[in-house]
Amino acid sequence: MDEMVSWCGPPDLETKFCRFGEGLSLSDGAVIEGHASVFGVPDAGGDVVEKGAYAAGLEALRRSGRAVRMLWQHDAREPIGVWEEVREDERGLRVRGRLLEAVQRGREARALIEAGAVDGLSIGYRVIRAEKDDRGLRHLKEIELWEVSLVTFPMQPLARLGKGGVLPAAEPEEAAGAAVAGLLADALAEARQLLAEGRRGGKGGSAGAVIAAGRMRGMLT
């Protein structure tokens, strides 16, 4: 689910959280590297970041001399390091930075990463331009990036750091298949609930189940 954040930034800043993770580790001490966002793959909130969505915003940051912040769990009161490289590659938004161990939360973050308790990345951003498709997915065409956080639950399942601080490669077909499987599971659960309500005499239960089934068919075509 999208969540609004109150801080010294735009009032419509969005962040995302979702349970998922594999082991996140560090390399060269406190250096971290990975993808904070992956192109073309629906996240748990139904958003799809399109290739090139970050380009204009990153260029504007470079021209103004501003930087993307590294925060702890999207809390603007807790910067924990610096991102030294933030760029688009063929796969998504690639970031590389270092934790500041002079900061208490930076030291704690390193310990939690090494223990496997924290293993995700998440972006704080403002949508400049987006379009919805006939499946209800929101395609983000242009994004103004404000920060990239270390988080416990990233909304984008592939947004994490892997062994040695490098995100392991994943086949696009596998990533897309996993995302579609999650959407189908949600639609199936909704259909079952609506059918149960129909059997109990609830109004609109059977009709709602038909609609949910139609949604599942649309995902498969």
Side-chain angles (χ1 to χ4, degrees):
M1 276 175 277
D2 293 351
E3 179 178 310
M4 308 307 291
V5 177
S6 297
W7 71 323
C8 296
D12 53 349
L13 193 74
E14 298 183 38
T15 65
K16 297 176 178 298
F17 296 86
C18 182
R19 179 177 295 276
F20 188 90
E22 293 181 2
L24 177 152
S25 61
L26 303 171
S27 64
D28 300 325
V31 175
I32 54 178
E33 183 174 5
H35 283 91
S37 172
V38 179
F39 296 140
V41 179
D43 67 18
D47 283 348
V48 181
V49 179
E50 298 293 338
K51 186 175 181 180
Y54 298 98
L58 292 177
E59 178 59 28
L61 285 174
R62 281 190 288 268
R63 287 198 306 267
S64 66
R66 292 178 293 131
V68 175
R69 306 300 181 182
M70 182 191 296
L71 302 181
W72 174 252
Q73 307 283 3
H74 295 295
D75 190 341
R77 297 166 299 182
E78 297 204 79
I80 57 172
V82 292
W83 292 118
E84 297 170 331
E85 183 180 27
V86 180
R87 62 181 175 85
E88 285 190 338
D89 62 14
E90 288 301 309
R91 192 172 184 220
L93 184 69
R94 185 77 178 180
V95 296
R96 187 175 191 275
R98 55 190 170 87
L99 295 169
L100 296 179
E101 296 188 276
V103 178
Q104 179 178 342
R105 184 66 79 185
R107 295 192 299 273
E108 294 173 351
R110 177 176 179 173
L112 290 166
I113 291 168
E114 290 176 336
V118 171
D119 57 10
L121 296 173
S122 183
I123 59 173
Y125 65 95
R126 187 167 69 92
V127 175
I128 304 299
R129 187 163 53 92
E131 297 175 2
K132 276 201 171 184
D133 64 20
D134 55 4
R135 300 181 184 183
L137 295 175
R138 185 174 65 156
H139 292 258
L140 306 181
K141 305 287 188 176
E142 185 177 348
I143 291 173
E144 183 180 81
L145 183 66
W146 281 70
E147 53 94 1
V148 178
S149 285
L150 272 70
V151 297
T152 310
F153 307 134
M155 180 68 84
Q156 170 53 259
L158 299 179
R160 65 191 191 280
L161 299 181
K163 300 298 183 183
V166 178
L167 184 67
E171 293 297 327
E173 294 82 4
E174 293 178 3
V180 172
L183 293 172
L184 284 170
D186 290 343
L188 180 59
E190 180 184 355
R192 285 174 173 165
Q193 180 180 355
L194 290 168
L195 281 171
E197 291 175 357
R199 293 191 187 101
R200 292 194 299 268
K203 293 183 179 179
S206 298
V210 170
I211 294 172
R215 287 175 53 202
M216 286 189 287
R217 283 196 300 272
M219 293 174 191
L220 292 170
T221 57

